[in-house]
Amino acid sequence: MKNLVAYVLASGALLSGAVWAADAPSPQDIANGREKAMKQLGGDVKAAFNPATSQTDAKAKLADAIKIAESIPSLFPKGTGIGDPGMTDTRALPDIWKKPAEFKAAADALVAALKSADAAGNAE
């Protein structure tokens, strides 16, 4: 009976792994998703600093931009750069993967700048 339970559990794990692998995004899907996120980030920042945007909407847009900025390093996994298998279109610079510490530092600086802008807006 123990062997049967172990077999059923192992089979379930293998099947769920196969399903997960079939649903895993391709490198190009990942690159397309990050391009969409970066465009959203730019639009949110532009709206947040547009004088025509209400203070409430600007604060919400800035909060959305901060969430995206915090996720930037995870949007650029290895295997999603120019010349990688499965990649047909990306504008991501190769230095992202060649100099990951510098890339993360730049992403962290963006987050800090957005949070600073948010804090300044709260002080008004």
Side-chain angles (χ1 to χ4, degrees):
M1 183 65 171
K2 283 185 181 181
N3 288 340
L4 179 62
V5 171
Y7 176 76
V8 169
L9 290 175
S11 296
L14 287 173
L15 287 174
S16 66
V19 169
W20 178 82
D23 291 340
S26 72
Q28 189 60 55
D29 291 339
I30 293 169
N32 293 345
R34 78 170 163 240
E35 183 177 344
K36 182 179 176 184
M38 299 305 278
K39 286 180 180 180
Q40 181 68 46
L41 171 66
D44 287 343
V45 169
K46 185 176 180 179
F49 292 99
N50 185 337
T53 303
S54 74
Q55 187 172 5
T56 302
D57 289 343
K59 185 160 181 57
K61 291 292 185 182
L62 196 52
D64 290 344
I66 290 169
K67 285 180 190 176
I68 295 169
E70 289 172 333
S71 76
I72 286 175
S74 69
L75 297 175
F76 293 84
K78 288 183 181 184
T80 62
I82 296 170
D84 287 329
M87 290 299 302
T88 57
D89 183 37
T90 183
R91 294 186 301 171
L93 300 175
D95 280 354
I96 291 169
W97 295 277
K98 289 179 184 173
K99 301 175 184 178
E102 290 178 25
F103 178 66
K104 178 148 178 16
D108 290 345
L110 174 60
V111 171
L114 292 172
K115 286 183 175 182
S116 178
D118 187 40
N122 290 332
E124 293 178 354

